[in-house]
Amino acid sequence: MANSDSTAATAVRVLLMVVPMLAGTASAQSQAPAQSDDVKAGQFIYERSCVNCHGPRGQGDGVAAPQLDPQPRDFTRGLFKFRTTPSGTMPTLDDLERTVTHGITGTAMNQWSELSAADQRDVLLYIQTFSRSGWKAGTPIVVPPEPAFTIESARRGVQAYALLQCAKCHGETGRGDGPSAADLKDSWERPIRPADLTIGSRYKRGSTPLDIYLTFFTGLMGTPMPSYAGTLQTPQDEWDLVHYVYALSQGRPVQ
Ligand code: HEC
Ligand code: HEC
C-alpha cells in the first residue's frame, strides 16, 4: 500500500515535471501576468523559431544548447551584450531588433530576416517576459560625432590602448592573446576568449567605427569586456582609440 502510494506520488511528481516542459506554453502563461496579444503572438513565434536554442523558459537551455559554443543567451538575467544603452541597463527594442535582423557573427545565432518587422517585435516583447527583474530599457547613449578617420588619429589611439590596458586581454598586437586571455569566464562561469581584434569580419556586433565605439563605451554585459564610459578625457581621445581598433580590424598597421 505504502509502496503503491509512493509510486503514484512519484508518477504524479514526474508528470508535474514533464508536463510543463512539454507544454512550455501553458506554464509560461500561468507564471506571467496578463499578457497582451502582441506578447502572445510573440510566444507563438518563439516556440517555433527560438525555443530549440533559448529554451522553453528562456534560460538558454534548449535541446540544441549543449552542442553550441558560445551557448545561447539565458534571458532570465537581463544581461545583453549588444546595446546602445549604458552598462548595467537593458537594451532598447531597437537594439534587440538589430541583433535579430543581423544575427551574431561566428555564433549559432542566425539572422532572422524572414521574420516580418511586426513578428520580430512581438517575439522580442515575449523574450522580455523571461527577465526575472522585469524589463526596463536604458536610455541610449549620445554618441559624439565621429571625426574623419586618419592614420594620425589611429596612431594616437595606440596610447589609449596602452593606458586602458586593452592588451591584458586582447594582446599587444590585438590578436586576442593577452596574459589574461586564457582565464576569462562569462557571468555564467563559462570560459570565454577575448576577440581577435585583427579580423573585423569576425566582430560579433560589426566592425564599423560606430560598432566599435558602442562596444568600447557600453561594454558587453555578461562578459569580462567592461564599459570604458568616461575613462578618456575627450571625444577625440575616444575616437582615436576607436580608429586604432578599426585600423587593426582592417589589418592596417599604423606604427
Ligand atoms: C541555433 C540556435 C539559436 C536560435 C534558433 C536562436 N538563437 Fe538567439 N542566440 C543564440 C546564441 C548562441 C546566442 C549567444 C551568442 C553570443 O553570446 O555571442 C544568442 C543570443 C541572442 C540574443 C542576445 C543578444 C545580446 O545582445 O546579448 C537575443 C536577443 C537572441 N539571441 C534572440 C533570439 C530570437 C528572438 C530567436 C528566435 C527568433 C533566436 N534568438 C533564435 C542562438 C540561437
Ligand atoms: C578583461 C578582459 C578585457 C579587456 C581589458 C578588454 N576586453 Fe575587449 N573583449 C573581451 C572579451 C572577453 C571579448 C569577447 C566577448 C564575446 O565574444 O562575447 C571582447 C570583445 C571586444 C571587441 C569585439 C566586439 C565584437 O563585436 O565582437 C572589441 C572591439 C573590444 N573587445 C575592444 C576592446 C578595447 C578597445 C579594450 C580596451 C579599451 C578592451 N576591449 C578591453 C575582454 C576584454
Side-chain angles (χ1 to χ4, degrees), residues 120-198:
Q120 285 186 18
R121 195 178 137 269
D122 290 350
V123 75
L124 292 170
L125 290 175
Y126 179 62
I127 70 166
Q128 294 181 356
T129 66
F130 291 129
S131 167
R132 275 186 264 139
S133 53
W135 191 275
K136 188 172 182 296
T139 307
I141 63 163
V142 177
V143 178
E146 182 190 356
F149 175 90
T150 60
I151 282 295
E152 290 69 39
S153 167
R155 282 205 184 110
R156 287 193 299 269
V158 175
Q159 288 156 31
Y161 189 84
L163 178 77
L164 300 178
Q165 301 186 324
C166 310
K168 263 189 9 202
C169 296
H170 292 285
E172 293 299 338
T173 56
R175 292 190 190 282
D177 55 359
S180 307
D183 307 321
L184 301 175
K185 297 257 169 63
D186 69 11
S187 300
W188 291 264
E189 290 298 315
R190 294 188 293 244
I192 184 169
R193 302 284 306 191
D196 178 343
L197 299 180
T198 67

Side-chain angles (χ1 to χ4, degrees), residues 45-46 49-50 53-54 68 70-73 75 79-83 96 99-100 104 107-110 112 115 123-124 127 204:
I45 298 157
Y46 183 86
S49 303
C50 322
C53 291
H54 291 284
L68 302 179
Q71 295 251 304
R73 181 76 66 267
F75 296 131
L79 297 173
F80 290 86
K81 293 181 183 177
F82 308 112
R83 293 163 291 98
L96 294 171
T99 299
V100 170
I104 305 177
T107 79
M109 176 67 196
N110 283 323
W112 287 93
L115 290 180
V123 75
L124 292 170
I127 70 166
K204 290 182 171 177

